[in-house]
Amino acid sequence: MAANSGKLTICVGDIHGHADRLYKLWHNLEVTIEDFHKSTVIFLGDYCDRGLQTAQVLDFLISLPRRYPQQKHVFLCGNHDLAFAAFVGALPDAPDGFQFKSTWAEFERSQEKEGWWSGDGEEDVHVQGRRWGGRIKIAFNAVKGVFYQGSIYDAEPTFTSYGVAHGDRAGLLAAMPESHREFLRNLVWVHEQGDDTGDPKTSYTKLIAVHAGLESSKPVEPQLQSLRNRDVTAPRVEPLAGRKNVWNTPPELAEKGVLVVSGHHAHLYTDEKLRLIIDESGGLDLPIAAIILPSRVIVRDTDNEESEALLEMPVPAIAGH
């Protein structure tokens, strides 16, 4: 657990391959926050898919520690990032003897409908990687009211950002810089820090950031331990992928004044003192939002739209890695 440094904390919602929006949001944060260069910035996960610029997003994020050395950067793993990492062989290490094929059974009833990826090396791919690289047979996502982009994860634009066809695993592996795979491999699954502000309206004893949230119906500590260990043996990681079951702050944490922050839910929810959900866009045509703590000021990429500086954000080219 990181100690409270007294610095501002900024939580950035899901980016989903929209590098241009990320550059604008970053600029707006920089001009809004006086001590921006000394702040802690927590990216809440889901850097890939849906938008056309995943490779550029990863380039930008990888560059931040060098460009802003006084900042603390936390890169959380989202469910899309886990699936992307699974497909390209960049998951954290599995226990000795564990076979990723053992994760398939829970989802196999959906294999034909979801059109899982198959090819050389498929037996070494976690189920979420096969779902990510596959091609879903139902074209329209009725829940979101949009068409799927390649797979159930909307992964086709990620392939496109690397200049390869959807489902071309060999091509993607050849096109991806090693730094991108290492970025995916090193993503943290939970971040914990002490942050008591002393203000009764905003104070909390501890901040826990996790992509989707924590299950209220299960003991918290085993969930946190699994996240700290980045346990890749489960077919589905609920704190990274859950929905209603992870919406609320678990009562045992609320009693202790612990704030839970997540993205994932395609929603901006700031109504409760101890639960924040920062994902206004969901990867769709809506703003990317960030929240500044402890003030709870919301900053969006759509703020200050007139600024010409937004068009000049320096991002290293993929070929440079």
Side-chain angles (χ1 to χ4, degrees):
M1 183 179 76
N4 181 17
S5 64
K7 298 178 183 177
L8 293 175
T9 296
I10 304 161
C11 299
V12 179
D14 300 23
I15 299 164
H16 277 301
H18 291 287
D20 50 354
R21 297 181 191 174
L22 173 59
Y23 306 158
K24 293 177 182 178
L25 174 64
W26 192 261
H27 170 84
N28 291 340
L29 289 167
E30 195 158 27
V31 300
T32 300
I33 301 171
E34 183 176 352
D35 288 328
F36 177 69
H37 68 292
K38 295 181 180 179
S39 59
T40 294
V41 186
I42 304 171
F43 292 90
L44 295 170
D46 278 0
Y47 312 111
C48 59
D49 304 338
R50 300 190 178 137
L52 290 169
Q53 302 161 318
T54 288
Q56 292 88 340
V57 167
L58 297 196
D59 270 332
F60 178 78
L61 297 178
I62 290 167
S63 77
L64 290 180
R66 183 186 74 249
R67 295 173 53 212
Y68 294 82
Q70 290 184 278
Q71 283 183 339
K72 176 181 175 65
H73 304 101
V74 177
F75 302 110
L76 288 173
C77 184
N79 59 315
H80 284 255
D81 310 312
L82 184 144
F84 181 16
F87 188 75
V88 298
L91 286 177
D93 292 336
D96 289 343
F98 181 79
Q99 296 183 337
F100 283 122
K101 186 176 181 179
S102 66
T103 65
W104 300 356
E106 184 173 320
F107 288 86
E108 277 188 323
R109 65 188 180 277
S110 303
Q111 180 173 0
E112 183 177 354
K113 179 180 70 175
E114 293 178 355
W116 291 5
W117 177 84
S118 294
D120 290 342
E122 69 180 65
E123 294 197 356
D124 295 324
V125 178
H126 189 284
V127 63
Q128 300 303 336
R130 293 194 66 197
R131 297 176 81 211
W132 185 84
R135 185 167 290 279
I136 191 166
K137 294 184 178 180
I138 300 171
F140 191 69
N141 183 339
V143 174
K144 291 188 166 120
V146 296
F147 286 94
Y148 285 107
Q149 299 184 73
S151 71
I152 195 165
Y153 277 98
D154 297 320
E156 187 166 30
T158 296
F159 286 88
T160 301
S161 75
Y162 289 98
V164 301
H166 177 74
D168 181 0
R169 186 169 185 255
L172 183 58
L173 289 171
M176 279 186 75
E178 183 58 32
S179 60
H180 288 203
R181 281 192 287 273
E182 284 304 298
F183 177 82
L184 294 172
R185 193 186 312 278
N186 293 327
L187 294 175
V188 298
W189 290 17
V190 65
H191 173 70
E192 304 164 76
Q193 66 181 45
D195 266 336
D196 194 344
T197 65
D199 182 345
K201 294 182 180 179
T202 62
S203 67
Y204 42 91
T205 58
K206 179 180 179 180
L207 180 151
I208 296 178
V210 57
H211 179 64
L214 296 169
E215 293 186 83
S216 296
S217 62
K218 295 182 179 180
V220 169
E221 187 55 33
Q223 296 183 67
L224 291 176
Q225 196 58 46
S226 179
L227 292 167
R228 293 170 190 141
N229 293 339
R230 302 189 300 163
D231 181 4
V232 297
T233 63
R236 174 182 165 96
V237 182
E238 287 303 315
L240 305 189
R243 293 294 179 184
K244 292 181 180 179
N245 58 331
V246 297
W247 182 274
N248 297 312
T249 295
E252 65 181 279
L253 293 181
E255 290 173 2
K256 298 175 182 177
V258 177
L259 171 66
V260 177
V261 185
S262 75
H264 181 66
H265 295 279
H267 198 85
L268 185 65
Y269 181 75
T270 60
D271 294 346
E272 293 186 23
K273 179 179 177 181
L274 297 176
R275 185 69 173 104
L276 297 173
I277 296 172
I278 311 300
D279 180 25
E280 192 165 21
S281 76
L284 303 177
D285 191 20
L286 292 166
I288 295 178
I291 191 167
I292 304 169
L293 298 175
S295 69
R296 299 201 174 203
V297 169
I298 301 294
V299 177
R300 298 175 172 88
D301 68 285
T302 49
D303 301 339
N304 305 316
E305 288 185 313
E306 299 299 319
S307 177
E308 290 296 323
L310 307 183
L311 304 177
E312 301 174 0
M313 182 66 70
V315 182
I318 293 176
H321 285 278

